[in-house]
Amino acid sequence: MPTTNRQWKLANRPTGLITPDVLQLSETPIPAISDGQALARVKYLSIDPTMRIWMADVPQYMPPVQIGEVMRAFGLAEIVESRHPDYKKNDKVSGLTGLQEYVVISGDEKRAFQKVPSIPFLSDVNFLNLLGINGLTAYFGLLEVGKPQAGETLVVSAAAGATGSIVGQLGKIHGCRVVGIAGSDEKCRWIKDDLGFDAAVNYKSSDWKEQLAAATPKGVDLNFENVGGPVMQAVLDRMNLHGRVVVCGLISGYTKQDPGMASFAQVIIKRLRVEGFLILDYASRFLDAGQKLGMWKMTGKLKTRETVVKGIEKAPDAINMLFQGDNIGKLVVEL
Ligand SMILES: NC(=O)c1ccc[n+]([C@@H]2O[C@H](COP(=O)([O-])OP(=O)(O)OC[C@H]3O[C@@H](n4cnc5c(N)ncnc54)[C@H](OP(=O)(O)O)[C@@H]3O)[C@@H](O)[C@H]2O)c1
């Protein structure tokens, strides 16, 4: 068994994308575990836009990662040694593993790690996307906050991403006309042809605003916003009276000093109900949501896709991929 644990530590706070000075790869001995602890080897690291927020010293929903700390990250890990009554060798767990190869799980952190059951139609990565943060965010954000009604027009941005791709499919399950906005023709083809979205708009094409207008002939009743910036502005301009905007994320601003949101005034003009939410608030209902999401996956109503980057050394580049649109579906690093 290897004796060293490679870890990415936060060395400097980023100002834009992740530059080579931001994260530092260090090696440390794999710690010996004591009674009540288990050692797990990380198999997959979940690469999430919020990691860029965690790196910044700005007000946020969790404490920022401190300089010198192992970078915070969700992951899926396999127990390799256990002196904890609840875990045995080869058990799989998901939770905040950190951007590293090995993690020690202590009894007092039990709630932070979920045991991953073996279910034939679910892959390991499905516990990071469909049954992890993305599926749960899509489920509660769309169904609880957005409350989609059959026949409504739903527009979702970052529609070929981990969260947006599930939001759109949930919108179809609930009878909406679903329009996705994504950054390439390949992504647009995937969400339309494979996932069943009614229309897809590539916001990088020159006539995308005309395409958006054509795809939303009755305006937009519900916007599930993942992006902000010019994409959100164009959707806000298409909102119907008393429409709803679920502000899930504003990724276009995460690497910028001044994200700029001029059309936010439409919220007042059109009397929109704009509601932010955080997935953490729904923790007590994750199990119920997971069962429903799993059922839709099993019956073929929900599809998932992954972009897999191999090797922990590629983790910083992988984080940047999110901001450059280089992922389709869930982005993970395989160790
Ligand atoms: N509120 C919550 O509790 C919660 C929980 C999880 C995630 N989120 C938010 O949900 C959003 C999606 O997260 P995810 O994990 O599912 O990531 P993702 O959608 O899989 O990946 C991010 C995608 O955003 C798009 N993007 C990046 N920069 C953009 C820009 N400037 N303009 C337009 N599109 C851009 C890219 O696709 P294109 O090729 O289409 O540009 C990229 O693939 C993020 O804003 C995230 O912060 C919120």
Side-chain angles (χ1 to χ4, degrees), residues 48-49 134 137 158 161-163 182-183 187 203 226-227 231 248-252 254 277-279 322-323 325 327 329:
D48 297 297
N134 310 109
T137 296
T163 307
K187 291 183 179 189
Y203 73 91
N226 284 319
V227 164
V231 169
C248 175
L250 299 167
I251 191 171
S252 68
Y254 295 175
F277 75 100
L278 267 178
I279 189 59
L322 292 170
F323 303 101
N327 63 307

Side-chain angles (χ1 to χ4, degrees), residues 12-19 21-22 52 254-257:
N12 289 291
R13 301 210 179 272
T15 51
L17 288 172
I18 315 301
T19 45
D21 57 322
V22 171
R52 177 61 182 77
Y254 295 175
T255 54
K256 295 198 183 99
Q257 303 297 327

Side-chain angles (χ1 to χ4, degrees), residues 89-269:
K89 199 172 172 199
N90 298 329
D91 278 354
K92 287 177 189 163
V93 293
S94 69
L96 282 171
T97 57
L99 214 54
Q100 58 183 343
E101 292 176 309
Y102 289 89
V103 59
V104 174
I105 300 171
S106 300
D108 54 0
E109 290 161 343
K110 226 172 91 182
R111 276 186 43 191
F113 285 90
Q114 304 290 323
K115 277 242 201 110
V116 169
S118 194
I119 299 176
F121 58 91
L122 295 175
S123 68
D124 283 350
V125 176
N126 280 155
F127 288 90
L128 294 177
N129 59 0
L130 183 72
L131 299 179
I133 218 74
N134 310 109
L136 294 168
T137 296
Y139 182 94
F140 289 109
L142 184 71
L143 305 185
E144 294 278 324
V145 185
K147 297 186 172 59
Q149 306 295 313
E152 286 188 327
T153 298
L154 161 69
V155 173
V156 54
S157 53
T163 307
S165 60
I166 298 175
V167 169
Q169 293 178 85
L170 292 179
K172 286 307 299 174
I173 290 171
H174 287 81
C176 294
R177 171 177 173 75
V178 178
V179 178
I181 303 179
S184 75
D185 290 342
E186 185 192 358
K187 291 183 179 189
C188 286
R189 270 195 302 277
W190 179 57
I191 58 176
K192 204 163 168 286
D193 299 346
D194 291 355
L195 303 189
F197 285 38
D198 296 285
V201 173
N202 177 355
Y203 73 91
K204 289 182 181 161
S205 57
S206 55
D207 64 341
W208 72 276
K209 288 185 186 164
E210 288 79 19
Q211 286 184 39
L212 180 64
T216 55
K218 295 183 181 165
V220 178
D221 303 299
L222 180 53
N223 174 31
F224 193 100
E225 189 52 52
N226 284 319
V227 164
V231 169
M232 183 180 191
Q233 292 187 33
V235 180
L236 289 179
D237 288 337
R238 302 280 316 146
M239 292 300 299
N240 290 329
L241 209 58
H242 301 300
R244 287 104 64 212
V245 179
V246 180
V247 183
C248 175
L250 299 167
I251 191 171
S252 68
Y254 295 175
T255 54
K256 295 198 183 99
Q257 303 297 327
D258 175 17
M261 276 294 290
S263 285
F264 223 72
Q266 294 286 341
V267 170
I268 304 162
I269 297 161

Side-chain angles (χ1 to χ4, degrees), residues 67-87:
I67 300 294
E69 280 183 356
V70 175
M71 182 57 210
R72 188 182 295 139
F74 287 100
L76 182 132
E78 201 166 67
I79 306 290
V80 288
E81 193 188 340
S82 180
R83 292 171 66 180
H84 189 294
D86 292 348
Y87 301 107

